[in-house]
Amino acid sequence: MENTIMHFTHPEHQLLLMTCKPDDFRCNLCKTSGTGLRYRCNTCDFNLHQSCITYPQILSFFAHPLHTLVLADHSASTVGPTVCCDFCCEPLKGFYYKCIPCGFNLHPSCSLFPGIIRTRFHPDHFLMLVPTTGSCSACNKNLTVWTYRCGICSVNLHCKCLFTSSFKEDAGAEASKKTQKRAMVTKK
């Protein structure tokens, strides 16, 4: 790991790797608080999470296969209506991926979701990330965006339900029970 780097989001100065106290900085790329290691420009008070330096300037993304996406700075755009991520429907802040021809927008963190996954919450089949409507098998809330889905069992899981620590074991067990019931019905 290098102690100093040049990064395309801050081409004016080198960024120095340093440690900080909890909630001691706000990342200029993702606009969230950070703890632990960060890359910092003391002159400009510019900070990047250690993980945020890995996002590429140009990205190919399976959910938008026709065009590449370019990392753009939302804070540099003119003031206007709130722009949301076309993947999770949450507002964009800081840097985001944009398809210039289509206007497709994506959080850098949303670009990390795998297209196909196997999980302990639904161990019988792979789940594919697809645009889905209906309700989440774990939290029962409406689905309006990309969701992990088992086409065989009709199990749908929000990305947040699947990957966050707030997804409790009992929610996973409940999703498994629904999966088993649906699997029994579809196997008749």
Side-chain angles (χ1 to χ4, degrees), residues 11-168:
E12 298 87 0
H13 304 108
Q14 286 190 333
L15 303 176
L16 176 65
L17 182 63
M18 41 188 353
T19 306
C20 62
K21 298 174 187 172
D23 299 320
D24 197 27
F25 76 95
R26 185 168 184 83
C27 179
N28 288 82
L29 192 141
C30 69
K31 300 295 185 193
T32 61
S33 297
T35 59
L37 291 174
R38 64 175 164 167
Y39 283 93
R40 175 171 174 74
C41 173
N42 287 325
T43 306
C44 301
D45 190 26
F46 185 89
N47 299 287
L48 292 178
H49 288 113
Q50 187 178 10
S51 60
C52 284
I53 68 162
T54 63
Y55 292 119
Q57 273 184 286
I58 297 173
L59 176 76
S60 293
F61 188 59
F62 73 91
H64 191 75
L66 297 178
H67 305 111
T68 56
L69 307 176
V70 178
L71 198 60
D73 187 357
H74 182 62
S75 59
S77 64
T78 58
V79 176
T82 302
V83 179
C84 293
C85 175
D86 289 305
F87 195 78
C88 72
C89 293
E90 295 291 322
L92 294 167
K93 301 173 186 171
F95 284 83
Y96 67 103
Y97 285 106
K98 179 174 189 65
C99 174
I100 295 175
C102 299
F104 179 87
N105 301 312
L106 181 72
H107 286 116
S109 58
C110 288
S111 74
L112 301 176
F113 287 116
I116 298 174
I117 192 168
R118 184 160 232 146
T119 175
R120 65 187 171 104
F121 301 116
H122 185 69
D124 298 331
H125 307 108
F126 284 99
L127 302 175
M128 280 189 83
L129 198 51
V130 296
T132 309
T133 58
S135 63
C136 177
S137 300
C139 69
N140 291 318
K141 292 182 182 174
N142 286 336
L143 301 169
T144 57
V145 294
W146 288 77
T147 306
Y148 281 98
R149 177 172 176 74
C150 174
I152 297 168
C153 302
S154 298
V155 167
N156 300 306
L157 293 170
H158 285 117
C159 295
K160 286 184 181 178
C161 286
L162 189 56
F163 290 112
T164 60
S165 59
S166 63
F167 186 71
K168 296 183 173 46

